[in-house]
Amino acid sequence: MITTEPAKLTHNEVIKDAIPTLAGNIAATMASGTDQFSADDQQFTKFHGIYQQDDRDLRKTQKKFIMMIRGRIPGGIMTPAQWLTFDDLASTYGNNTLRITTRQSIQFHGVVMAGLGPLIKKINDCLLSTLAACGDVNRNITASPTPAQTTARVAMMADVHRVVAALAPQTKSYHAIWLDGVQLNLDDPANKDFVDPLYGKTYLPRKFKASFVLPPNNDMDVFTNDLGFIAIVEKGQLVGYNLAVGGGMGRTHGNVTTYPRLADVIGFFKPQHIVDIAKAVLTVHRDFGDRTDRKHARLKYVVAERGVDFVRSEIEQRVGFKLEPARAYQFTTTNDAYGWHKAVDGTNFLTLFVETGRIKDTDKARQKTALRRIAEQFGNIEFRLTANQNVLLANVSDADQPAINALLTEHGVRTENQASLLHGNSMACPALPTCGLALAESERMLPGLVDRIEKLCSDLGLGTEEIVIRSTGCPNGCARPYTAEIGFVGKAPGRYQLWLGGNASGTRLNKLFKEVIKEAELETELRPLFARFATERMPSERFGDWCDRAVLKEQPTAAN
Ligand code: SF4
């Protein structure tokens, strides 16, 4: 008789099972005075919002361990006081920059071991957290930040906070380590046998991302999430949500069993069921996700391989009712509305472009100091981080608007014509020198690359084109390159895959056009395409749509 051995669980599953509080030896290690965590503790620290990294610019001469700490900031909303805390922490413990992430959070880079404790304590003191900012749990929940379209956003944000609370892990190790400064006793049965009421003993097979979006703006890129809630507003009221499941960007070079995927819209439900639905989708991932291969562990593979009907049926069984048919909605853009605008409640809001999400002071513009001054002087406004790595200042009164303008101007920060069309539609992940997975530059490379594309477009009479351009230093896809009209995905230093054909509304994946191009030869690669586009396009047709219609359909594309 042939027997097949069950596939072996990943090491991450083994250590979660052994230490279900996720405490590891984190507190003991920090107390020991060392500059680094053990390999296993590097997995546990992720649940606490910490990635151990090293400065890759220095790696050849001297390995220097540094930490990246990511805040958990639901919907990217911060009070001015919280902004000041984060600004202080970046200057005191980080590299004096604030890095806005694509999930409406802020990361600190370059923190050494001794800075970890005080930094995380101060984040908690200002009523934010880093718990579950990373790790095999639900990550920071994103939500449309713009107050331009409907007052129903207020009701949606109340639902965001209900889901945030419902999906938070319950381990007491976070409090013990970062607030009390103690190492949990792992032999205590209460810790050894801890079982999270939602996640169970071993949490999720992999990360889980959830987002709320308010059509017609798809500023959340909602279909790139495991779980998407598309708000349906009728006669000005939030009547419910269309449910989208199974999106995700990450893939692995050369591994055709991994791929980016957009979420499927599988039905509609009323707001009172939001928590039950969120828990149901999360537990489908918990129960059916692949725990034997972390590259194949996301919910998107469950949806792709078991099918939408299976997943809908699982969700319906867990919530105890049937989803209604999805309701009509339309998305028009994924971009942010730069500049000043009127909100629906009569206040004003300003969206400030942040190049590659890095808030800093430069010779040309002191954006970091300007935002600090605004936080100090205007206590009634709200800071909102966008999923395009920008900052939105909301709830600004007519009376405060001129003073904020003057303050920004004084620091060299523009509020109009802030960025060219291409820069304003570009996004890059951090990659080198901090990310341990980076194969190529991204954040440090993209602005110059966009300048070159701009020159190319201008030479060919395409200077007024809006094109979504995104880059990442590896195929994990943190800056969502697979929904861009042009996506650069790092393969090796100076070498990128070229992906073409996403659309403006984030409803179509792009496709691999070329397995490798050299950054130095960008013009040679793109000039023929832009030249064809200039002559072949239909009126108003965007570059990504033309690529999808005219270029990608005429050539076999690589599967991965
Ligand atoms: Fe690092 Fe890759 Fe994410 Fe970029 S996409 S930040 S290189 S993991």
Side-chain angles (χ1 to χ4, degrees):
M1 193 173 79
I2 300 171
T3 56
T4 42
E5 291 282 322
K8 208 171 151 210
L9 294 175
T10 64
H11 183 66
N12 290 64
E13 296 303 319
V14 175
I15 64 174
K16 284 183 285 185
D17 186 60
I19 308 181
T21 56
L22 308 170
N25 280 308
I26 296 171
T29 299
M30 289 199 302
S32 75
T34 180
D35 63 349
Q36 59 182 293
F37 291 107
S38 69
D40 284 356
D41 275 354
Q42 286 176 49
Q43 299 307 316
F44 289 123
T45 58
K46 291 179 185 172
F47 290 86
H48 301 248
I50 302 161
Y51 276 81
Q52 180 168 301
Q53 304 177 324
D54 70 287
D55 187 331
R56 295 181 59 183
D57 285 347
L58 300 178
R59 196 179 267 184
K60 282 195 181 132
T61 51
Q62 157 211 14
K63 191 151 185 168
K64 182 185 175 202
F65 290 103
I66 48 176
M67 312 289 165
M68 182 276 276
I69 296 95
R70 186 182 293 154
R72 194 181 61 175
I73 307 172
I77 294 177
M78 302 175 80
T79 64
Q82 289 169 335
W83 185 271
L84 289 174
T85 298
F86 272 61
D87 184 83
D88 283 338
L89 294 174
S91 306
T92 309
Y93 301 105
N95 61 1
N96 205 26
T97 69
L98 293 153
R99 182 46 156 91
I100 303 176
T101 74
T102 53
R103 295 198 65 74
Q104 296 181 293
S105 185
I106 286 178
Q107 291 180 179
F108 301 95
H109 290 278
V111 180
V112 295
M113 180 75 87
L116 271 184
L119 186 148
I120 293 179
K121 170 94 168 44
K122 283 174 184 157
I123 287 177
N124 282 271
D125 287 347
C126 80
L127 305 181
L128 288 172
S129 179
T130 63
L131 174 64
C134 324
D136 299 342
V137 279
N138 174 57
R139 302 283 184 91
N140 194 45
I141 294 183
T142 61
S144 292
T146 173
Q149 291 131 2
T150 169
T151 51
R153 182 178 174 280
V154 176
M156 183 189 80
M157 287 310 299
D159 287 341
V160 170
H161 291 295
R162 290 166 64 201
V163 175
V164 167
L167 301 191
Q170 300 299 308
T171 172
K172 62 183 180 183
S173 69
Y174 185 82
H175 195 285
I177 297 168
W178 306 109
L179 304 186
D180 299 337
V182 298
Q183 174 68 48
L184 280 190
N185 176 3
L186 301 180
D187 294 327
D188 181 336
N191 296 327
K192 201 170 168 36
D193 302 328
F194 173 75
V195 178
D196 184 278
L198 176 66
Y199 289 96
K201 202 176 178 194
T202 51
Y203 297 83
L204 300 179
R206 198 70 171 78
K207 61 187 164 189
F208 184 88
K209 297 180 177 179
S211 182
F212 286 71
V213 71
L214 257 173
N217 194 337
N218 187 17
D219 49 3
M220 294 296 102
D221 249 328
V222 68
F223 299 113
T224 64
N225 287 267
D226 298 273
L227 166 59
F229 294 117
I230 302 168
I232 302 298
V233 179
E234 293 173 1
K235 296 183 182 155
Q237 300 295 315
L238 177 71
V239 295
Y241 297 92
N242 280 351
L243 175 62
V245 295
M249 291 280 94
R251 46 176 281 279
T252 303
H253 285 316
N255 181 347
V256 292
T257 66
T258 67
Y259 44 84
R261 186 176 193 280
L262 294 185
D264 291 287
V265 176
I266 66 167
F268 169 88
F269 65 92
K270 296 200 168 63
Q272 62 262 36
H273 300 301
I274 190 91
V275 166
D276 290 342
I277 289 281
K279 286 182 173 177
V281 177
L282 182 137
T283 54
V284 168
H285 183 211
R286 180 196 67 191
D287 297 345
F288 294 101
D290 185 351
R291 291 180 185 265
T292 67
D293 179 359
R294 288 182 67 79
K295 294 186 189 313
H296 185 255
R298 293 285 297 274
L299 177 65
K300 65 182 175 181
Y301 299 114
V302 177
V303 180
E305 291 162 18
R306 293 183 182 254
V308 164
D309 289 343
F310 169 85
V311 171
R312 185 191 294 108
S313 164
E314 277 292 330
I315 293 166
E316 288 176 344
Q317 279 177 41
R318 288 163 201 240
V319 295
F321 64 88
K322 292 258 183 223
L323 293 168
E324 298 175 32
R327 301 222 178 151
Y329 67 97
Q330 192 183 16
F331 286 131
T332 54
T333 180
T334 53
N335 207 8
D336 292 335
Y338 292 117
W340 282 106
H341 301 274
K342 253 316 175 209
V344 283
D345 64 359
T347 61
N348 306 284
F349 70 94
L350 170 66
T351 311
L352 286 171
F353 172 66
V354 181
E355 182 96 61
T356 64
R358 182 77 62 176
I359 296 177
K360 59 187 176 189
D361 287 349
T362 68
D363 292 343
K364 280 193 194 153
R366 287 176 295 142
Q367 196 171 42
K368 180 170 180 288
T369 303
L371 288 169
R372 181 178 180 87
R373 295 277 172 272
I374 289 170
E376 285 169 345
Q377 292 178 34
F378 301 93
N380 292 330
I381 69 168
E382 201 168 74
F383 283 67
R384 296 182 188 166
L385 310 169
T386 83
N388 290 305
Q389 304 176 329
N390 297 309
V391 177
L392 188 152
L393 303 177
N395 300 342
V396 178
S397 67
D398 290 345
D400 285 344
Q401 197 177 355
I404 288 177
N405 269 335
L407 205 150
L408 289 166
T409 304
E410 182 190 330
H411 290 81
V413 180
R414 288 191 296 203
T415 57
E416 291 178 9
N417 303 319
Q418 298 177 49
S420 67
L421 279 173
L422 296 194
H423 280 274
N425 277 280
S426 68
M427 197 156 68
C429 75
L432 295 169
T434 51
C435 177
L437 300 174
L439 305 168
E441 294 280 354
S442 180
E443 180 181 331
R444 297 192 295 197
M445 174 277 301
L446 189 66
L449 202 77
V450 172
D451 287 343
R452 289 164 61 193
I453 295 173
E454 235 158 32
K455 166 93 174 52
L456 201 52
C457 285
S458 170
D459 290 349
L460 294 165
L462 298 169
T464 56
E465 287 308 308
E466 193 171 346
I467 305 172
V468 177
I469 303 171
R470 296 174 180 169
S471 74
T472 54
C474 85
N476 281 341
C478 295
R480 305 191 291 271
Y482 309 114
T483 48
E485 292 177 273
I486 303 178
F488 297 97
V489 176
K491 283 211 84 175
R495 286 171 163 74
Y496 297 85
Q497 285 184 330
L498 178 59
W499 293 69
L500 298 175
N503 63 6
S505 56
T507 56
R508 183 175 66 220
L509 284 176
N510 56 18
K511 295 190 180 76
L512 179 60
F513 175 70
K514 201 145 190 197
E515 183 59 40
V516 61
I517 66 166
K518 294 181 185 166
E519 183 200 339
E521 296 170 4
L522 176 88
E523 286 79 1
T524 313
E525 300 287 350
L526 288 185
R527 182 178 287 278
L529 278 170
F530 282 135
R532 267 188 68 189
F533 172 58
T535 56
E536 290 180 13
R537 69 187 301 189
M538 296 192 294
S540 307
E541 191 174 31
R542 286 182 63 124
F543 181 70
D545 294 331
W546 172 77
C547 286
D548 186 66
R549 174 178 68 82
V551 179
L552 298 164
K553 297 219 163 46
E554 61 188 36
Q555 67 159 45
T557 56
N560 192 47

